[in-house]
Amino acid sequence: MRLLDHHFDGITMGDVVWHSRWETWVRLADTFRQGNVFLAGDAAHVHSTTGGQGMNCCMQDAFNLGWKLALVLKGYARPELLDTYEAERRPVAEQVIWAASSLHDIFMTHGKDIGQRTRTMFDPGYTEKVVNYCSGVAYTYRDYVQKPADLTELNGPAIGDRAPDLDFEQGGALFDRLRHEYFTLMAMPGDCDRAPVIERLQRRFSRVLAVETLPRSEALSKRYGATDGRLFCVRPDGYIGFKCSADEAHLLEATLEGVLTI
Ligand SMILES: Cc1cc2nc3c(=O)[nH]c(=O)nc-3n(C[C@H](O)[C@H](O)[C@H](O)COP(=O)(O)OP(=O)(O)OC[C@H]3O[C@@H](n4cnc5c(N)ncnc54)[C@H](O)[C@@H]3O)c2cc1C
């Protein structure tokens, strides 16, 4: 109340009519899966509300697990796909816990020296790291999504990154084309002859693969690097599962074969 009196004119505090005690916990489950039981959301990880990411992270867990469960239950994917849930999501939970705890220490740890807390905020790279870890869209599964060792490295967003959205100059957004429950094979504009390759992939994986041939677009080149006929396979949760040039499409086919049963 004294703070309000000191800093704000014309605001007075009335009587507190309701209050509750709020406690915060920091917990992370050792494992997110045991047999057919999966932990997601607060059951798998809880932390301070500072940063406001708890629910977002919980929904991303569900988003990551949902399509994998659906494909395995339908018999379209191998059960090993389910192991990738913990491999991909537990590190994200660790990141969010670090960011939330670190912000909690700055904003809510009463009794700690204010100078020291302020200095932390000015540590080089601190703000960027904490914002990235808290933002909910900066997570990447780069280190966890399997890819062949002999795949050529290409510029632009990497395998395991969240596929970036963009507006086409011709109208419509890229995400409009990804709004379904399947993988999307995005064929980038280019002059190379990849029609037989795309046809083959479409035929083989027709039940789970939608093909989108994208128009030439400056926004697309900017967000996805040189496009020149490249193939991007976007997972149902919007993350890039694979990318290659058309002449390495056999590696994409082998990777899909490793995951899918059809
Ligand atoms: C004060 C506060 C502010 C927050 N602010 C934000 C914010 O700004 N942004 C954000 O992203 N997140 C925020 N969060 C975090 C967010 O609310 C949680 O991360 C999120 O609600 C967790 O969702 P959940 O489905 O995993 O768990 P819950 O929402 O806890 O759902 C679990 C459900 O299971 C039920 N249940 C428990 N046991 C059983 C049982 N044995 N049988 C049947 N049902 C059972 C419970 O009743 C509950 O309905 C905040 C949390 C708090 C406490």
Side-chain angles (χ1 to χ4, degrees), residues 22 40-42 49 52-56 58:
W22 177 69
D42 277 14
T49 57
Q53 281 303 305
M55 183 185 62
N56 291 304
C58 297

Side-chain angles (χ1 to χ4, degrees), residues 27-49:
R27 289 179 178 157
L28 176 64
D30 291 335
T31 172
F32 285 13
R33 179 188 184 187
Q34 210 147 72
N36 285 343
V37 178
F38 293 84
L39 290 183
D42 277 14
H45 43 77
V46 274
H47 49 77
S48 168
T49 57

Side-chain angles (χ1 to χ4, degrees), residues 180-238:
H180 52 78
E181 68 264 42
Y182 304 120
F183 290 87
T184 311
L185 181 66
M186 298 197 308
M188 298 290 168
D191 299 325
C192 61
D193 180 23
R194 62 212 164 147
V197 167
I198 293 173
E199 241 168 62
R200 180 180 161 81
L201 288 167
Q202 198 166 22
R203 205 174 45 247
R204 282 208 61 192
F205 304 108
S206 62
R207 272 191 270 179
V208 290
L209 187 71
V211 175
E212 285 289 341
T213 305
L214 302 180
R216 277 194 195 282
S217 148
E218 217 173 284
L220 188 64
S221 318
K222 216 164 146 193
R223 297 307 291 271
Y224 281 82
T227 48
D228 57 20
R230 242 168 241 186
L231 301 172
F232 279 74
C233 187
V234 180
R235 310 189 323 186
D237 60 357

Side-chain angles (χ1 to χ4, degrees), residues 84-125:
T84 64
Y85 165 64
E86 177 179 311
E88 291 177 356
R89 294 304 300 168
R90 200 170 178 281
V92 172
E94 282 174 350
Q95 286 179 11
V96 177
I97 285 174
W98 175 83
S101 302
S102 154
L103 286 174
H104 183 97
D105 272 358
I106 291 172
F107 297 126
M108 294 195 200
T109 314
H110 305 296
K112 237 189 178 181
D113 174 40
I114 191 80
Q116 190 195 327
R117 295 196 237 165
T118 317
R119 275 192 299 280
T120 307
M121 289 179 68
F122 289 103
D123 280 351

Side-chain angles (χ1 to χ4, degrees), residues 97-161:
I97 285 174
W98 175 83
S101 302
S102 154
L103 286 174
H104 183 97
D105 272 358
I106 291 172
F107 297 126
M108 294 195 200
T109 314
H110 305 296
K112 237 189 178 181
D113 174 40
I114 191 80
Q116 190 195 327
R117 295 196 237 165
T118 317
R119 275 192 299 280
T120 307
M121 289 179 68
F122 289 103
D123 280 351
Y126 175 78
T127 318
E128 200 187 351
K129 187 172 173 191
V130 95
V131 167
N132 271 339
Y133 279 13
C134 257
S135 69
V137 289
Y139 308 134
T140 172
Y141 304 139
R142 271 182 205 189
D143 297 338
Y144 313 106
V145 178
Q146 301 281 331
K147 52 180 183 287
D150 50 345
L151 182 68
T152 308
E153 286 279 337
L154 301 169
N155 67 341
I159 293 176
D161 286 357

